Amino acid sequence: MSLQWTAVAFFLYAEIVVNLILCIPFISAHRWRVVFRWRIWGWLSSYWNKAFFAMITVLVVLFIDAVREVQKYSAPQSTQDATVNPNLYDNVHMKLFRAQRNLYISGFSLFLWLTMCRVVTLLNKTAITLENSAELQAQVDAALKEAKQHQEKEQMFKKVISEGEKSMAATKEQLKLELEKLSSQLKAAEEDRRKSNAEVEAMKRQAKGLALEYDRLLREHHQLQNQRPEDKKDQ
């Protein structure tokens, strides 16, 4: 195996190991996201796209070369030449086997490279989705808690309003009774005032009559006093 295909084979083995590690079920996507946030990945992120497409280009070129080699040693002309010379036949089949091996190595390396990149992307998206869902769940819980608090406040307000309406109804009834009581007291006071006015009028008339009687008696008294001196003079 040449140096380039040895490197591709080791790269394939590394891809198999990395993909198996990424597919371990008890390592959550959140932990992988923590690993992907390490500084080294941040430093390599600027070169990642270039390395990704460069590796795809290399693997595609090697895959095309392997396909060409397989077609070359699978051609009827090579088989006819190999049947004439047994040593050449073994050499052709050996090269065909190597070409097929290189085809499988490059093909699986390309497939696993794309798969590994896709798995990393999906793990990142899954971790982001889980974080967003956790944030949304926290927001939903906070909204439900706030709605529950608003509902409790609304019930408390309704209770206070109901108690206030009952208190207002009782106060209104009490005020109504007091108003009726005051009305009756006002009527009684009005009646007493009328009686007092009537008594005052009667007392005024009586006083006026007494004054007239007093004046009459006073005049008679003066007349009597005036008559006594005249009677003395006549005697």
Side-chain angles (χ1 to χ4, degrees):
M1 184 181 293
S2 61
L3 181 62
Q4 61 180 6
W5 290 112
T6 302
V8 173
F10 279 111
F11 183 72
L12 175 63
Y13 302 150
E15 286 178 328
I16 293 172
V17 173
V18 171
N19 278 286
L20 288 176
I21 294 173
L22 290 174
C23 293
I24 294 175
F26 57 83
I27 301 178
S28 63
H30 179 70
R31 292 184 179 179
W32 281 119
R33 182 167 173 77
V34 173
V35 173
F36 296 150
R37 285 180 176 177
W38 289 353
R39 290 184 179 180
I40 186 172
W41 305 119
W43 181 72
L44 293 175
S45 60
S46 57
Y47 307 101
W48 169 250
N49 290 329
K50 295 179 181 179
F52 175 74
F53 289 109
M55 185 58 65
I56 288 178
T57 303
V58 171
L59 292 176
V60 168
V61 170
L62 291 175
F63 181 77
I64 293 173
D65 182 67
V67 170
R68 184 185 61 81
E69 290 292 327
V70 169
Q71 290 179 350
K72 175 181 176 181
Y73 294 110
S74 298
Q77 182 65 33
S78 298
T79 306
Q80 290 177 1
D81 294 339
T83 54
V84 177
N85 189 353
N87 293 327
L88 183 61
Y89 181 82
D90 293 337
N91 190 21
V92 169
H93 278 75
M94 181 184 65
K95 290 182 179 181
L96 178 61
F97 170 76
R98 290 178 178 176
Q100 290 175 346
R101 179 200 62 193
N102 296 336
L103 175 66
Y104 296 145
I105 291 174
S106 59
F108 279 111
S109 297
L110 179 61
F111 173 74
L112 290 178
W113 177 248
L114 296 174
T115 302
M116 183 178 65
C117 295
R118 184 60 178 171
V119 168
V120 171
T121 303
L122 290 176
L123 286 173
N124 273 324
K125 289 183 178 180
T126 303
I128 294 172
T129 303
L130 290 175
E131 291 178 358
N132 292 333
S133 63
E135 293 178 358
L136 290 174
Q137 185 64 34
Q139 293 177 0
V140 169
D141 293 338
L144 289 175
K145 185 177 180 180
E146 187 176 358
K148 187 176 180 181
Q149 291 178 352
H150 284 303
Q151 187 176 5
E152 291 176 354
K153 289 181 180 179
E154 185 178 0
Q155 290 178 356
M156 184 177 65
F157 288 152
K158 287 182 179 179
K159 185 177 180 181
V160 171
I161 291 171
S162 178
E163 291 178 355
E165 289 178 352
K166 291 180 181 179
S167 178
M168 287 178 65
T171 305
K172 185 177 180 181
E173 188 67 23
Q174 186 177 1
L175 290 174
K176 186 177 180 182
L177 294 174
E178 290 181 358
L179 182 62
E180 291 178 355
K181 184 178 179 181
L182 290 175
S183 298
S184 62
Q185 290 178 358
L186 182 62
K187 289 180 180 179
E190 185 70 23
E191 188 67 24
D192 292 338
R193 187 183 65 82
R194 288 178 183 177
K195 289 180 180 180
S196 299
N197 290 333
E199 291 177 356
V200 169
E201 290 294 331
M203 291 177 68
K204 284 181 179 180
R205 287 193 297 270
Q206 186 178 2
K208 188 176 181 182
L210 291 173
L212 292 173
E213 185 67 22
Y214 176 76
D215 291 337
R216 185 182 65 79
L217 292 174
L218 186 61
R219 285 194 302 270
E220 288 180 355
H221 178 67
H222 285 300
Q223 289 176 0
L224 289 174
Q225 286 181 350
N226 291 329
Q227 287 178 358
R228 285 179 181 178
E230 291 178 359
D231 291 341
K232 287 180 179 181
K233 289 179 181 181
D234 291 340
Q235 290 177 0

